[in-house]
Amino acid sequence: MSARNNTRICIVVASVDILGGQAIQALRLLEGLREEPAIEVELLPINPRLPRPLRWLQRIKYVRTLVTSIAYIGSLLIRLPRFDVVHVFSASYFSFLLAPTPAILISKLYGKPVLLNYHSGEAEDHLRRWRRTALPVIKLADRVVVPSDYLVSVFARFGIESERIVNTVDLARFSFRQRQQVAPVLLSNRNLERHYNVECALRAFALVLEQYPNARLLVAGDGSQRNKLRELADTLPVSGVDFLGAIEPKQMPALYDRADIFINASDVDNQPLSIIEAFACGLPVVTTDAGGIPYMIAEGQTGLMVGRGDHKALADRVIRLIGDPELASSLALRAHEECRRYNWMAVRGRWLRLYHKLARKHLAPLAGRVEKAEG
């Protein structure tokens, strides 16, 4: 046991079959860790694909959840024993019950240290409503890591100590473009779910159209609100709205380059990757002040913020940027400087120290038992 000097890490997260911030963050982490000679790392998806003859079961509602959960728990039982640290990505509510909970419980069954990496901006409501189920499971984790000071403060209110390690963006993938003139081309890059309130962005865009009839809104993402939002666009009515659907991560840099303003209207949020990517691409950001966003943006310095649900204020700020390219340029330049906080090298050392500390916690008593047995 003492001869092995590498740390084996299992990252438990949704695969990129489910497009979202957690999957993208896990891939960024995987890429960085695979460059480390003292680390072995593998990804264990919470949504494994069944063998091809059985894959049709995953197309049936309800049956899909059952068979995928069985396959996932089976993979945890088979694969976790060979790892030193289990890094579990986590969202909230029912997702927390289905994915992080089995991973934490089975890790503890095997005596493995667990790092719970919680990302949801809905944490406060989740912990309050699910206090009797979520809190005991979270407290089983050896460490809780969150991407924002906002979530650090939320967990502290429930008696849970957490530490912040920010999300990262592969800046090499994104090209900064300074906009000398600001065209009325807006981009919304959030999943079409209720808490991201893309409806508010549509209503703001309708007001922008009154000033700039040639304006366009690019809506990237998919979700449960898709049909409702399309119907709203027809009702308002607004022209120039392009619903692009889910966009693969490799296609996102080109999409950011098509726009001149990034607009975000979320009601619940944490540390959205889309805002960091907009910073990297030189897009001035107009956003609501949901959740952890005020920890990312200095109002009037690196972006413009308004209250949640205020589509008139969103429209006003967008119109202001279109008419004031000097302001838009200064916001974008200062925001681009902020990107240095969100690259792999800025967080690499913190992740490695954390993994090695947890691995030593696991390996030390195990080595002692081996030595005792050999003695």
Side-chain angles (χ1 to χ4, degrees):
M1 177 63 72
S2 59
R4 181 162 68 83
N5 59 5
N6 61 337
T7 300
R8 295 171 178 168
I9 301 165
C10 181
I11 298 177
V12 181
V13 69
S15 74
V16 290
D17 288 346
I18 303 175
L19 280 177
Q22 289 189 49
I24 294 170
Q25 274 307 289
L27 289 178
R28 291 285 300 121
L29 190 59
L30 204 65
E31 290 167 1
L33 293 175
R34 281 177 172 165
E35 298 298 318
E36 301 295 330
I39 296 290
E40 287 184 34
V41 59
E42 294 180 18
L43 189 146
L44 191 157
I46 67 171
N47 52 323
R49 294 182 180 180
L50 293 179
R52 190 173 296 277
L54 300 176
R55 204 165 290 171
W56 62 273
L57 292 170
Q58 292 180 305
R59 296 194 293 268
I60 304 173
K61 192 175 182 180
Y62 303 124
V63 173
R64 172 175 60 241
T65 301
L66 177 62
V67 297
T68 302
S69 295
I70 293 171
Y72 166 56
I73 292 171
S75 66
L76 290 171
L77 289 167
I78 293 168
R79 294 178 59 186
L80 289 190
R82 64 180 299 270
F83 294 99
D84 303 317
V85 178
V86 183
H87 180 152
V88 182
F89 277 74
S90 175
S92 52
Y93 303 126
F94 197 57
S95 171
F96 179 86
L97 183 65
L98 286 177
T101 297
I104 293 170
L105 295 178
I106 292 172
S107 296
K108 293 287 105 178
L109 176 68
Y110 289 136
K112 304 295 183 180
V114 177
L115 186 158
L116 179 67
N117 196 184
Y118 194 103
H119 283 255
S120 175
E122 297 171 297
E124 185 159 13
D125 188 65
H126 173 215
L127 298 180
R128 178 172 53 82
R129 291 176 181 270
W130 296 51
R131 184 185 296 267
R132 294 183 180 179
T133 52
L135 288 179
V137 173
I138 292 171
K139 288 177 179 178
L140 290 175
D142 297 87
R143 290 293 184 91
V144 177
V145 174
V146 295
S148 68
D149 287 328
Y150 165 69
L151 284 185
V152 170
S153 66
V154 169
F155 274 95
R157 289 198 286 275
F158 290 88
I160 297 173
E161 181 181 355
S162 62
E163 59 185 289
R164 184 197 70 163
I165 302 181
V166 298
N167 290 330
T168 60
V169 169
D170 183 2
L171 299 179
R173 293 179 53 237
F174 298 94
S175 299
F176 177 82
R177 176 168 69 85
Q178 189 169 3
R179 278 87 172 154
Q180 300 298 335
Q181 297 295 323
V182 182
V185 182
L186 285 58
L187 171 64
S188 168
N189 178 27
R190 306 310 301 269
N191 284 336
L192 308 185
E193 300 297 342
R194 187 182 301 276
H195 56 281
Y196 291 133
N197 202 358
V198 178
E199 176 180 338
C200 183
L202 282 173
R203 293 187 183 280
F205 180 65
L207 297 179
V208 173
L209 275 175
E210 294 177 4
Q211 298 288 325
Y212 296 93
N214 63 332
R216 293 177 60 206
L217 173 62
L218 309 176
V219 180
D222 203 354
S224 62
Q225 299 290 295
R226 180 201 318 120
N227 293 336
K228 178 183 176 181
L229 291 169
R230 287 180 178 273
E231 290 170 4
L232 176 64
D234 292 336
T235 301
L236 282 174
V238 290
S239 59
V241 179
D242 295 330
F243 287 95
L244 304 174
I247 304 295
E248 294 289 336
K250 64 183 178 181
Q251 298 174 328
M252 282 308 305
L255 182 57
Y256 283 110
D257 193 56
R258 289 172 57 187
D260 275 15
I261 296 174
F262 184 84
I263 184 170
N264 174 64
S266 53
D267 290 332
V268 177
D269 229 320
N270 176 31
Q271 189 182 82
L273 284 176
S274 53
I275 287 181
I276 305 172
E277 292 171 350
F279 284 177
C281 296
L283 278 172
V285 172
V286 180
T287 178
T288 54
D289 58 359
I293 292 175
Y295 293 81
M296 302 174 66
I297 288 181
E299 163 62 20
Q301 299 295 312
T302 57
L304 300 179
M305 283 188 296
V306 304
R308 286 169 286 180
D310 193 342
H311 70 279
K312 293 181 180 178
L314 271 178
D316 177 71
R317 301 306 187 276
V318 168
I319 291 168
R320 180 182 172 191
L321 287 181
I322 296 170
D324 191 346
E326 186 175 333
L327 172 62
S329 180
S330 65
L331 291 175
L333 286 169
R334 283 191 289 264
H336 189 252
E337 288 296 311
E338 282 289 296
C339 286
R340 296 176 183 177
R341 296 173 50 199
Y342 303 105
N343 66 51
W344 167 247
M345 293 309 296
V347 302
R348 170 186 173 271
R350 297 188 65 187
W351 281 122
L352 293 180
R353 284 191 294 271
L354 190 51
Y355 288 138
H356 290 315
K357 187 173 183 178
L358 289 173
R360 285 195 298 270
K361 178 179 179 180
H362 166 61
L363 292 174
L366 188 57
R369 290 197 295 271
V370 171
E371 290 173 5
K372 184 176 180 180
E374 291 175 346

